Amino acid sequence: MTETAATLLRTAAELDAYTPAEGRAERAVVMTMGALHEGHASLIRTARDLAGPAGQVVVTVFVNPLQFGEAADLDRYPRTLDADLAVAGAAGADVVFAPSVDEVYPGGEPQVRISAGPMGERLEGASRPGHFDGMLTVVAKLLHLTRPGLAFFGQKDAQQLALIRRMVRDLNFPVEIVGVETAREPDGLALSSRNRFLDPHERHTALALSRALFAARDRLAAQQALHARAQSAGATEGRAAGLTRLGEARLAADAQAVARARPDAGPATVRAAARAVLDDAAAEQPPLALDYLALVDPADFTEIPDDRTAGEAVLAVAARVGATRLIDNIPLTFGAPA
């Protein structure tokens, strides 16, 4: 791993000249909008590991105007290129490709764009119309410009990751998309460039996002453990009633909980556990203003019904604390063994 700043390249011609054509199959790319933090460094380190010592790791830094609904948000987004070069180099990147808007969109905004389709209109897409069309358009352009064999994206932006995978599959891009686990602060807050806008009181409130997700995960794990006990012990309501008659109230309550543990109560239980934490945070000062809490299928981000008994899911949350909008999510598996 290098301990120096990565090489800065500004144009596609410079990037093409940096690596011979025969080396492109070994290129890995990490796409960012800059303001790099430990979450980005984790992506870069993973890219370095999988690309191997002979491969080339390229980090793109481009604040994409097509992803911003308001000019004020675009202007507010932090630009820290000098620091980004150091972070990228220390994490193992060879190159930082930081093109200008004119380099990526010569002649102005593109008239032909990628459409995110129905998945792009849900959750984040409903809150930020057009955001995912702009995101996919720039990802497609950067994939063409960098021509990697591997591209790495964080699972914190789970809907974005799902859409990129769908675009690559539907449009036959010759690249493998690799999702990397969400990086978090020691207190659980998901790492984000937006965290720097939180004052200490807002940051305390913002911790409710990760606490809600962890509460839901822990409730599901506890329920699945109870259900496993019920299956292995053959627990019944009759046993609980018998313990009650014997005056064993505590054991009776435990037996009743085991007997009533059902896998099909999972989605409702998960939502309720997360909602309780978020409701408490809404009464904090400053309050948490919930945008959405959704338990969705990771394939298309449609809501999972309460009668789902098995399969993968993503529990996603978005909220505002003060003027800062934050998102977080956690993967869950229903029907998993305890």
Side-chain angles (χ1 to χ4, degrees), residues 39-56:
H40 298 110
S42 176
L43 288 169
I44 298 166
R45 287 192 295 268
T46 303
R48 178 78 275 161
D49 289 344
L50 292 185
Q56 183 190 89

Side-chain angles (χ1 to χ4, degrees), residues 45-76:
R45 287 192 295 268
T46 303
R48 178 78 275 161
D49 289 344
L50 292 185
Q56 183 190 89
V57 176
V58 175
V59 175
T60 67
V61 172
F62 181 67
V63 182
N64 179 31
L66 302 189
Q67 291 176 232
F68 291 83
E70 299 180 7
D73 289 339
L74 176 61
D75 293 339
R76 185 177 181 234

Side-chain angles (χ1 to χ4, degrees), residues 242-257:
L243 287 167
T244 299
R245 287 193 297 272
L246 293 172
E248 297 288 352
R250 185 174 177 180
L251 291 174
D254 178 71
Q256 189 172 62

Side-chain angles (χ1 to χ4, degrees), residues 206-290:
L207 289 174
L209 273 73
S210 56
R211 286 204 313 269
L213 298 177
F214 298 156
R217 178 197 61 192
D218 293 346
R219 183 71 62 83
L220 178 61
Q223 179 177 295
Q224 289 173 337
L226 280 174
H227 182 66
R229 284 179 60 194
Q231 289 183 315
S232 62
T236 65
E237 293 280 357
R239 178 172 179 269
L243 287 167
T244 299
R245 287 193 297 272
L246 293 172
E248 297 288 352
R250 185 174 177 180
L251 291 174
D254 178 71
Q256 189 172 62
V258 170
R260 293 182 178 178
R262 294 172 53 85
D264 60 357
T269 300
V270 161
R271 291 186 180 96
R275 176 71 67 172
V277 176
L278 297 170
D279 286 348
D280 287 344
E284 294 277 357
Q285 290 299 325
L288 181 141
L290 183 65

Side-chain angles (χ1 to χ4, degrees), residues 5-250:
T7 299
L8 175 62
L9 303 178
R10 290 289 197 172
T11 69
E14 291 175 340
L15 187 60
D16 281 344
Y18 191 84
T19 302
E22 60 271 17
R24 284 178 183 141
E26 298 175 334
R27 177 178 285 173
V29 67
V30 176
M31 295 187 188
T32 82
M33 291 204 297
L36 301 189
H37 49 65
E38 176 55 28
H40 298 110
S42 176
L43 288 169
I44 298 166
R45 287 192 295 268
T46 303
R48 178 78 275 161
D49 289 344
L50 292 185
Q56 183 190 89
V57 176
V58 175
V59 175
T60 67
V61 172
F62 181 67
V63 182
N64 179 31
L66 302 189
Q67 291 176 232
F68 291 83
E70 299 180 7
D73 289 339
L74 176 61
D75 293 339
R76 185 177 181 234
Y77 197 87
R79 275 91 165 164
T80 59
L81 185 57
D82 288 342
D84 294 344
L85 287 167
V87 171
D94 300 294
V95 171
V96 167
F97 178 50
S100 67
V101 173
D102 288 340
E103 179 74 14
V104 178
Y105 301 123
E109 291 191 2
Q111 295 185 31
V112 177
R113 307 186 186 193
I114 301 290
S115 170
M119 195 194 327
E121 298 173 359
R122 299 171 186 135
L123 300 188
E124 284 300 292
S127 298
R128 306 164 68 186
H131 167 74
F132 284 127
D133 291 354
M135 179 275 296
L136 289 178
T137 298
V138 78
V139 168
K141 294 210 69 168
L142 289 172
L143 286 175
H144 287 313
L145 290 170
T146 59
R147 286 172 281 189
L150 299 167
F152 295 78
F153 297 89
Q155 292 177 352
K156 184 178 82 71
D157 298 299
Q159 191 172 4
Q160 170 180 286
L161 176 58
L163 281 163
I164 292 170
R165 282 175 165 155
R166 185 61 187 254
M167 177 185 73
V168 165
R169 182 170 68 250
D170 286 355
L171 301 183
N172 299 103
F173 278 73
V175 61
E176 179 183 349
I177 303 300
V178 181
V180 179
E181 185 177 354
T182 300
R184 298 184 179 276
E185 300 279 7
D187 57 11
L189 186 68
L191 285 168
S192 169
S193 301
R194 297 176 183 271
N195 291 352
R196 69 186 66 197
F197 299 131
L198 299 169
D199 68 30
H201 298 291
E202 290 170 340
R203 196 181 186 288
H204 176 76
T205 297
L207 289 174
L209 273 73
S210 56
R211 286 204 313 269
L213 298 177
F214 298 156
R217 178 197 61 192
D218 293 346
R219 183 71 62 83
L220 178 61
Q223 179 177 295
Q224 289 173 337
L226 280 174
H227 182 66
R229 284 179 60 194
Q231 289 183 315
S232 62
T236 65
E237 293 280 357
R239 178 172 179 269
L243 287 167
T244 299
R245 287 193 297 272
L246 293 172
E248 297 288 352
R250 185 174 177 180

